[in-house]
Structures are given as C-alpha cells and as structure tokens.
Amino acid sequence: METTAAIGALAALAQASRLAVFRLLVQVGPEGLAASKIAEQLGLPSSSLSFHLKELTHAGLIVARQDGRFILYSANFSTMNALVGFLTESCCGGNPCTPTPTLQACTP
C-alpha cells in the first residue's frame, strides 16, 4: 500500500461513525449489509450515513454491490489487510516478529 492510500484510509477511519460502520461491516463479513440495516444497528440518520459510506468507499475500505433493489455494503478485506501490513511492515526494527495470521473474512 502506498503512503497516500494509507493516509486516505486512516483519515476515513478517524471519525467515530465511520469507524463504527467499518467495524460493523468487518463483523458481518463478506455478505455485507444494506444501508438501512447499518443505520438501524448503529442508530445513525440516513442522511449522515450516506456521507460516511461515500467516504469509506472513496478510501477503498468498503465496497458496494447491487442485490436486487438493495445496495449491500461490505468491508474490503484486501484493503484492510494492506493497511495493517503498511502499518506493521517495519515492525520490530527489521527483526523477525512473532508471526500473526492474515486477517481474512470469516467463512460461514
């Protein structure tokens, strides 16, 4: 991940509602949620949720897909993993660190 993309992703997450949306979508997994369900679960007004979804999509942290008449939003796990990798690539001053599992979407 390039520095500019990492800054954009971190900036998108540096707001309480957007962080809550992203964490919810990570918990839900690849199936995602409709905006109405996100708003309901987090108690966010639809007008502000639209703005937050746009910001997270622009940062590449979530993706939207059409499902019938609904748009479902889900976490972009490859971007999330790239961001974690970017943040930890110089971990331990170049010495080997304890291996950690790659973060992946849960499989049902």
Side-chain angles (χ1 to χ4, degrees):
M1 174 174 270
E2 297 292 323
T3 300
T4 305
I7 291 168
L10 291 169
L13 293 172
Q15 198 281 337
S17 294
R18 287 193 293 272
L19 182 58
V21 169
F22 183 72
R23 291 187 67 186
L24 175 63
L25 292 175
V26 167
Q27 289 173 352
V28 171
E31 62 274 2
L33 287 173
S36 61
K37 295 292 183 186
I38 296 169
E40 179 183 304
Q41 289 194 29
L42 297 177
L44 295 172
S46 299
S47 58
S48 64
L49 179 60
S50 296
F51 172 75
H52 296 312
L53 292 171
K54 178 186 70 79
E55 291 296 310
L56 290 166
T57 302
H58 182 71
L61 291 166
I62 66 172
V63 292
R65 73 180 187 286
Q66 191 79 39
D67 184 29
R69 55 189 194 110
F70 296 100
I71 298 175
L72 299 180
Y73 294 89
S74 56
N76 185 339
F77 290 95
S78 61
T79 299
M80 180 183 76
N81 286 330
L83 180 59
V84 170
F86 176 84
L87 294 172
T88 60
E89 71 184 13
S90 298
C91 179
C92 303
N95 298 314
C97 298
T98 305
T100 57
T102 301
L103 302 172
Q104 296 180 359
C106 303
T107 54

